[in-house]
Amino acid sequence: MERGKMAEAESLETAAEHERILREIESTDTACIGPTLRSVYDGEEHGRFMEKLETRIRNHDREIEKMCNFHYQGFVDSITELLKVRGEAQKLKNQVTDTNRKLQHEGKELVIAMEELKQCRLQQRNISATVDKLMLCLPVLEMYSKLRDQMKTKRHYPALKTLEHLEHTYLPQVSHYRFCKVMVDNIPKLREEIKDVSMSDLKDFLESIRKHSDKIGETAMKQGNDPYVAEDLVCPREEAQQQRNLDNIIFQQPRIGSKRKPKKDAYTIFDTEIGSTSPKSEQDSGILDVEDEEDDEEVPGAQDLVDFSPVYRCLHIYSVLGARETFENYYRKQRRKQARLVLQPPSNMHETLDGYRKYFNQIVGFFVVEDHILHTTQGLVNRAYIDELWEMALSKTIAALRTHSSYCSDPNLVLDLKNLIVLFADTLQVYGFPVNQLFDMLLEIRDQYSETLLKKWSGIFRNILDSDNYSPIPVTSEEIYKKVVGQFPFQDTELEKQPFPKKFPFSEFVPKVYNQIKEFIYACLKFSEDLHLSSTEVDDMIRKSTNLLLTRTLSSSLQNVIKRKNIGLTELVQIIINTTHLEKSCKYLEEFITNITNVLPETVHTTKLYGTTTFKDARHAAEEEIYTNLNQKIDQFLQLADYDWMTGDLGNKASDYLVDLIAFLRSTFAVFTHLPDNLIALTIFLQMNYLLPLFQDGDFFQHLQ
């Protein structure tokens, strides 16, 4: 019983499973029923499932048959309608075919045009793409062409700026093109070319500056005493430094109140894009052509002659290229070499003033350029470098002047040299260079100048003394009298009362010597001008030099005349008279020096004139010479007389020897009447000292009788 229930239960379960499988087969895609069928074949009820399946198929067939029978009439009607449509479709097909044929025939040209349009559109796209690429490359090519033009016209700084833009802005946008790679490879070469060309321009500038330093210095020294020009030459320091903007054209504004013209592009650092595109002008050599300004009343300034743009361009180019230090070292080295050449004086410099002038002009020109470079560039040269050059220049210049000035024997040349040195020192002082050592050296040259003056006046005195007639000056009219008194300070009331013609007691050499002493004082005063000396120092210098003139030069000249072999007693007596009057004139010389120096004689440490001593010594020498000459004459009388000294016959008649001797003494003493009373007494006393011993000898008188 239970077994029968269990079999029935299993049968129901199997049937339900088969039913499920059939539903799954009906509802599942045929591609996915494999696992379902596998489960049927894996089971033991395969046969029963097949029966179940057949039964299900038959049921579906019956349902299909019922459905077909229900829709058959509609199917038949549909077939009938389809057959009708078939004929119409054939007609439509024929019409479409005909229309297509006609359309193909009629649209053949249109197809050709469309093909052409297609090709044009393709070309247009290609052209548009090409234009876009060319527009991208065109700025690069334009910049490169501009670079080559700038290189060709030697506008180096703009070329460098263009090269920077080309390298960093334009080339990266088209770096994949081959021509760009060629440009990139060329950039270092172009930089080196710019560097080399700018250095070549700098070398030309330095060479030109070396050749024209004397011209620059000459202009600076000519205008050194003009306050406006001196101020304009130096340039305002702060303003000059602010103007060194390397991206702009630099020029000097005209100074308010000054008659100076604005700088003529002398401060142009480099060309700009807006500037002239003309090739490099002659100005780039360093010296501007100013011959077209000869008719202009205004002389160009020293720095107007110089175009410093090659220096500025080269400096900036080397700075941009990272080689500023190399440029600075090269510039300073070359300028040091040029300084040594400038400071080497020519061997014949001492012969003419032009030699000194050219030497000074070159030095001034050199330092004017360096001073301008110092204040218009940022560090190309510095104050320490300038000071070092100036110290070297100062020492070499002073040494050269000491050597060459020692050869000068012409006081006029020495005076001109002094004035030139003062102008040289004042000009450089305007530019801030210390020149105290130059003025100290001028004091040394002053001593040499005094020596040359003494030599010159020695010749002057010698000519005056040699040409003098040693006779009192005759005066025939009031005009001549006033002329002589105007030349020499002489006052004599008795002489003034005498009628014309009359004579001055002294000869012509007295006013001439007196005037030459004054001329000597004037010459000494000329040298002391512009030496920045005090009045006391000038007075002391003049008095010392005048003392040397009196005690050494004039005294020597007088002594030479007095000691001359052929000089007579008349000349010696006139010399005594002349020196007496010159001695009296010394106080007027003192007053003359006081008037021109404004230093009173009572001032402490004031040097006194020694003219009194000089003239006294000369007078004493003349008296001694008179004494000697008289003795020689008397000795000659004694030696030449031929008498019988042993005769015993004594007559009352005087001997011829005594008569001759007395006649000689009478004529000699007549000469002494022109001397002042005190000098007459002194002279007679000297002569009697010699004659008295002879007259006191009794035998002598006996022999004379």
Side-chain angles (χ1 to χ4, degrees), residues 626-642:
I626 291 174
Y627 178 76
T628 303
N629 287 347
L630 283 176
N631 290 339
Q632 290 177 351
K633 288 292 183 181
I634 293 172
D635 289 341
Q636 289 175 2
F637 272 104
L638 295 177
Q639 292 174 0
L640 295 177
D642 187 14

Side-chain angles (χ1 to χ4, degrees), residues 169-392:
T169 305
Y170 294 96
L171 284 179
Q173 300 176 4
V174 290
S175 58
H176 53 281
Y177 294 109
R178 284 186 297 175
F179 76 90
C180 293
K181 295 180 180 179
V182 174
M183 290 184 182
V184 171
D185 294 338
N186 251 355
I187 285 177
K189 298 178 182 178
L190 292 174
R191 279 203 177 96
E192 286 299 321
E193 183 178 351
I194 292 174
K195 191 175 177 181
D196 295 341
V197 173
S198 63
M199 179 58 70
S200 176
D201 290 345
L202 176 68
K203 291 178 180 179
D204 293 340
F205 170 82
L206 293 176
E207 180 64 20
S208 181
I209 286 295
R210 186 186 68 81
K211 292 180 179 179
H212 297 87
S213 288
D214 57 338
K215 184 177 181 181
I216 300 169
E218 179 183 1
T219 304
M221 291 180 70
K222 282 182 179 178
Q223 301 180 346
N225 293 327
D226 186 345
Y228 289 117
V229 173
E231 187 182 11
D232 217 14
L233 286 176
V234 175
C235 300
R237 302 311 188 197
E238 297 81 4
E239 178 183 349
Q241 292 184 3
Q242 292 173 357
Q243 287 179 342
R244 293 283 69 82
N245 182 352
L246 295 178
D247 292 324
N248 298 317
I249 294 180
I250 305 304
F251 62 91
Q252 184 76 4
Q253 295 293 342
R255 190 176 302 281
I256 297 175
S258 173
K259 297 181 180 180
R260 303 269 300 145
K261 296 181 292 184
K263 303 293 183 183
K264 189 173 66 176
D265 288 337
Y267 303 103
T268 300
I269 297 178
F270 46 76
D271 301 325
T272 61
E273 302 299 331
I274 305 176
S276 172
T277 58
S278 61
K280 176 181 176 183
S281 66
E282 295 178 359
Q283 296 177 356
D284 284 335
S285 65
I287 300 298
L288 300 180
D289 185 8
V290 295
E291 292 182 358
D292 57 341
E293 299 180 1
E294 288 181 353
D295 297 333
D296 201 327
E297 294 180 358
E298 299 173 0
V299 181
Q303 294 162 351
D304 285 329
L305 302 176
V306 184
D307 176 20
F308 290 93
S309 57
V311 180
Y312 301 139
R313 282 199 299 266
C314 195
L315 172 62
H316 191 64
I317 287 171
Y318 270 72
S319 299
V320 172
L321 297 177
R324 180 186 176 98
E325 184 177 355
T326 301
F327 174 77
E328 290 178 359
N329 293 335
Y330 176 81
Y331 178 85
R332 295 182 184 184
K333 181 179 179 181
Q334 294 302 314
R335 289 299 279 169
R336 280 194 181 93
K337 290 181 179 179
Q338 291 186 356
R340 293 188 180 94
L341 292 176
V342 166
L343 295 172
Q344 185 175 357
S347 58
N348 60 343
M349 183 175 70
H350 60 277
E351 295 179 356
T352 62
L353 188 65
D354 289 337
Y356 289 103
R357 183 179 290 110
K358 184 175 182 180
Y359 180 65
F360 289 140
N361 287 343
Q362 288 179 341
I363 297 175
V364 171
F366 178 89
F367 283 100
V368 165
V369 171
E370 288 307 288
D371 179 79
H372 184 71
I373 292 294
L374 173 66
H375 293 98
T376 55
T377 59
Q378 298 176 352
L380 177 56
V381 297
N382 52 35
R383 176 52 64 185
Y385 162 80
I386 295 294
D387 291 343
E388 178 187 352
L389 284 181
W390 176 240
E391 287 297 327
M392 177 184 71

Side-chain angles (χ1 to χ4, degrees), residues 504-530:
F504 284 99
F506 47 81
S507 66
E508 291 183 354
F509 96 66
V510 171
K512 289 182 179 180
V513 167
Y514 181 81
N515 286 325
Q516 286 301 322
I517 294 174
K518 291 174 64 176
E519 290 296 326
F520 179 86
I521 294 173
Y522 275 126
C524 293
L525 181 63
K526 287 181 181 179
F527 193 91
S528 64
E529 294 175 351
D530 301 323

Side-chain angles (χ1 to χ4, degrees), residues 25 95 511 553 584 618 669:
I25 292 173
Q95 291 177 358
T553 305
K584 294 178 180 179
F669 290 145

